[in-house]
Amino acid sequence: MLKYGVLIALALAGSAAAGPFRVTLGPGQPQAAYDGRVLVVLTKDGASEPRFQANRSNTSAQIFGVDADGMRAGQSVSIDGSVTGYPLETMGEIPKGRYFVQAILHKYDNFKLANGKTVKLPAARGAGQNWRKEPGNLISAVRQIDYDPAAATPIDLLLDKVLPEITPPADTEFVRRFSFRSPSLSKFWGRDTFLNAYVLVPRDFDAHPEARYPVMINHGHFPEGFSGIRATPPDPDLVCEPNARFNDPCYNRVEQQEAHDFYKKWISPEFPRFLVVEIDHSNPYFDDSYAVNSANLGPYGDAIQQEFIPALEKKFRGLGAGWARFTYGGSTGGWEALAVQLFYPDEYNGAFAACPDSIDFRQTKVVNIYADDNAFWKQGHFGRVPRFVNRNYLGHANWTNEMENRYERVIGSKSRSGGQWDIWDAVYSPMGDDGYPKPIWDKTTGVIDKAVAAHWRENYDLRHILQRDWAKLAPKLQGKIHIYVGDMDNFYLNNAVYLMEDFLTKADPPYQGEVTYGDRAEHCWNGDPTLPNSITRLRYNSMYVPKILDRMQKTAPKGADLTSWRYP
């Protein structure tokens, strides 16, 4: 039974057995020719379009992908038994049966970089590098087919629908959108490049032009808008969406209630007045930049810190000083919060890093990129076992590193998948001669490139950099480092935190911060042992406020403005 009005071209399929896929570009498209990645997704589940069922997990729909260069209307690409797939590796492994199938073209642009190299990459177009929704991508109608791996008759799929533009949400009393053209990033990419943000302003912001505000940078993945604040109670007619991870039959109601509770706190007389900023720094490789300078992404660290934040603080009346600026976030945002505190130590007065991406590359998830030879296998003289990179709180493993890397190989070649390992390559690695990132390992065999690993260590291994430069950094970072992680983090990110803690607890002079673990807590535990992870993950913008206020009170320079932003 098909749900939600999925488009099905049953008449094209019939009941005949079919073989390889032939994907054709339909007539009348906005561009005369397309470069990009052609994907084909198969699923047994007709409840939603196949493209929304493909992901890196072991429960993903089946997906295949090939590159397309200069594809014109009427031209086709073939996806046959030679093409690598995920989760099954080949088409021949797909069981005979009835499936829903859909094709997608994730389109690329030509970027003429400042260094003279030209690369083909998917531009950031408003969906946070989500190829399933990115405006301008092409999709086919969904077909229901009878598939037989032994058949030779091609299955035809026509790319004839262009995904529409996404309009950012309109400004409200409390949430304002800010857009800024970065000179340095525009120069790097050879085209206008913007940094955007959603800014949560305090109550009576417009009525207090004399007030100057502290700034909280809430780092994280691509923001579709400012999440987590809602003026009205939960929708009484809300259709419940269960969350299996949190075992909650109506988690969307929990989210709405938490957002409303935060709204009531935000406008209350006793709550401090400050700005909260969620940055959109989506780029051609990922939904954010990791907020650091990079050979492949460009000077995002300097662009954010030296161009974007000063402009934002000027427009929204920030205090514009390091003692009044803090950063926090979880997962990727946790790594970013710690990284910007480390790389710009005078510009922030504290970082609250929850479940950060690997902060010591001796445990990059579960791989020691310096000592291990292979990222996919733990090898012995007579046997080997796979390295798992996802688990639940009981330690039950879901998928392996080889699987996750193969998923990324299917979605995009040359680090263009928008996936986790590919963005680490794009951020941490040097640029190759072809203009694309040098991978940390061979994504087919798992063999680690030690020269690339050395580059990662000296430039982005946060524990290594802290230990290497502690004598210089300590006076600027004491009391500013706060790290939180569950000891059963789904992605094993607690492993690297243990190694960071080993250094910090022995650091001389002392670091004067905190490292805290949540018992049996999964991703992304952020520091409150009294509440479940399902709740605390929704409270980033309030839970660190007492520590932030205390820190500002103790460290603000003489004559600093501690009052204009404390109006009732």
Side-chain angles (χ1 to χ4, degrees):
M1 185 72 179
L2 300 178
K3 304 176 183 177
Y4 309 128
V6 173
L7 299 174
I8 306 295
L10 294 172
L12 295 177
S15 59
F21 298 98
R22 183 167 57 198
V23 182
T24 303
L25 183 63
Q29 302 309 322
Q31 296 179 201
Y34 284 84
D35 299 325
R37 187 74 168 178
V38 175
L39 304 169
V40 170
V41 186
L42 295 87
T43 179
K44 287 280 191 180
D45 184 358
S48 62
E49 293 183 44
R51 59 188 162 121
F52 297 121
Q53 299 181 45
N55 55 67
R56 61 182 170 176
S57 78
N58 54 309
T59 60
S60 172
Q62 182 64 37
I63 185 165
F64 299 92
V66 295
D67 287 332
D69 293 309
M71 192 176 182
R72 293 179 175 272
Q75 293 183 340
S76 303
V77 296
S78 178
I79 294 179
D80 57 24
S82 67
V83 177
T84 299
Y86 183 87
L88 298 175
E89 195 161 356
T90 67
M91 291 180 62
E93 299 173 81
I94 300 174
K96 182 178 180 180
R98 179 159 290 187
Y99 297 89
F100 301 99
V101 61
Q102 186 177 33
I104 304 97
L105 190 150
H106 187 28
K107 82 181 188 83
Y108 297 162
D109 288 357
N110 282 327
F111 290 84
K112 296 180 180 179
L113 304 180
N115 63 7
K117 297 182 184 298
T118 298
V119 290
K120 295 180 179 182
L121 295 167
R125 301 191 296 273
Q129 283 301 349
N130 184 344
W131 53 266
R132 305 159 190 83
K133 302 191 300 180
E134 203 68 57
N137 281 358
L138 303 175
I139 62 171
S140 74
V142 178
R143 289 188 58 183
Q144 191 174 37
I145 62 169
D146 289 311
Y147 179 80
D148 183 350
T153 304
I155 303 165
D156 282 307
L157 298 168
L158 184 68
L159 294 165
D160 60 355
K161 180 181 178 181
V162 182
L163 295 183
E165 295 294 317
I166 297 173
T167 302
D171 285 359
T172 68
E173 178 184 358
F174 293 104
V175 177
R176 319 283 174 90
R177 189 170 187 266
F178 178 65
S179 187
F180 175 83
R181 179 189 177 276
S182 165
S184 61
L185 292 173
S186 297
K187 179 180 178 181
F188 178 90
W189 287 106
R191 61 170 64 183
D192 286 343
T193 302
F194 289 83
L195 292 164
N196 304 300
Y198 292 98
V199 183
L200 181 65
V201 301
R203 196 192 75 183
D204 295 333
F205 173 80
D206 295 319
H208 285 273
E210 81 288 352
R212 298 293 181 268
Y213 300 98
V215 173
M216 315 297 156
I217 306 294
N218 183 356
H219 274 297
H221 289 289
F222 172 76
E224 295 182 357
F226 194 97
S227 59
I229 189 166
R230 177 185 175 92
T232 58
D235 183 352
D237 299 320
L238 183 71
V239 176
C240 285
E241 297 176 1
N243 185 297
R245 178 183 170 199
F246 298 130
N247 193 29
D248 192 307
C250 199
Y251 189 63
N252 52 331
R253 183 175 298 278
V254 173
E255 292 176 314
Q256 289 192 4
Q257 185 63 57
E258 282 291 316
H260 182 56
D261 290 346
F262 176 64
Y263 168 80
K264 291 187 292 185
K265 182 177 292 187
W266 187 250
I267 65 171
S268 65
E270 65 274 9
F271 199 73
R273 311 302 175 199
F274 53 84
L275 305 171
V276 181
V277 181
E278 293 186 358
I279 306 174
D280 168 15
H281 37 132
S282 52
N283 58 77
Y285 283 103
F286 199 53
D287 74 348
D288 73 27
S289 69
Y290 277 66
V292 293
N293 297 336
S294 163
N296 298 291
L297 271 66
Y300 268 94
D302 289 349
I304 291 172
Q305 193 56 51
Q306 298 170 8
E307 299 172 357
F308 179 74
I309 290 178
L312 183 146
E313 289 178 328
K314 181 178 180 180
K315 180 177 177 63
F316 292 96
R317 306 196 308 272
L319 282 161
W323 68 269
R325 197 180 294 125
F326 291 80
T327 182
Y328 49 81
S331 194
T332 292
W335 191 95
E336 291 170 343
L338 191 59
V340 298
Q341 180 68 83
L342 190 162
F343 291 132
Y344 304 94
D346 295 320
E347 300 302 325
Y348 296 92
N349 204 6
F352 299 83
C355 55
D357 286 6
S358 300
I359 54 177
D360 186 321
F361 295 155
R362 292 174 296 173
Q363 283 293 290
T364 310
K365 291 192 178 178
V366 296
V367 181
N368 184 334
I369 65 171
Y370 313 128
D372 293 333
D373 294 320
N374 194 288
F376 298 166
W377 304 94
K378 293 187 68 174
Q379 295 172 307
H381 291 298
F382 303 105
R384 64 180 188 175
V385 294
R387 298 185 191 273
F388 287 92
V389 292
N390 184 271
R391 63 179 175 184
N392 67 11
Y393 77 98
L394 294 173
H396 299 162
N398 295 315
W399 64 83
T400 69
N401 201 17
E402 185 279 329
M403 291 171 66
E404 189 165 278
N405 277 265
R406 179 155 45 85
Y407 169 76
E408 293 185 6
R409 281 199 289 132
V410 169
I411 298 301
S413 61
K414 299 182 183 295
S415 299
R416 294 180 291 195
S417 71
Q420 185 63 81
W421 294 106
D422 278 347
I423 185 53
W424 287 343
D425 279 341
V427 174
Y428 304 151
S429 293
M431 182 181 287
D433 292 339
D434 60 357
Y436 298 98
K438 287 186 177 180
I440 183 65
W441 52 65
D442 185 302
K443 290 181 77 73
T444 301
T445 66
V447 174
I448 297 172
D449 186 325
K450 298 301 182 181
V452 174
H455 184 87
W456 282 35
R457 178 179 58 235
E458 294 307 314
N459 295 280
Y460 302 101
D461 186 323
L462 300 187
R463 189 277 317 161
H464 171 77
I465 294 168
L466 275 175
Q467 188 165 349
R468 181 191 67 196
D469 300 337
W470 187 245
K472 178 179 66 175
L473 289 173
K476 299 173 180 288
L477 293 179
Q478 284 179 301
K480 295 183 178 182
I481 296 174
H482 310 265
I483 304 173
Y484 313 100
V485 70
D487 64 11
M488 289 301 293
D489 186 273
N490 302 91
F491 303 102
Y492 302 85
L493 299 177
N494 52 303
N495 292 1
V497 173
Y498 296 144
L499 300 177
M500 174 67 87
E501 184 187 30
D502 287 345
F503 161 68
L504 290 174
T505 55
K506 300 170 186 175
D508 184 20
Y511 81 108
Q512 299 175 357
E514 62 178 332
V515 179
T516 307
Y517 302 93
D519 179 40
R520 294 194 299 173
E522 295 185 333
H523 196 75
C524 183
W525 190 77
N526 57 356
D528 187 344
T530 67
L531 291 170
N533 200 8
S534 60
I535 298 298
T536 62
R537 66 188 293 270
L538 305 174
R539 296 186 176 182
Y540 278 95
N541 292 323
S542 62
M543 66 184 300
Y544 305 126
V545 168
K547 293 179 181 180
I548 287 171
L549 292 176
D550 181 66
R551 176 76 182 174
M552 281 197 289
Q553 193 68 40
K554 291 177 178 177
T555 60
K558 185 177 180 179
D561 179 1
L562 291 168
T563 59
S564 74
W565 48 278
R566 295 305 301 264
Y567 55 84

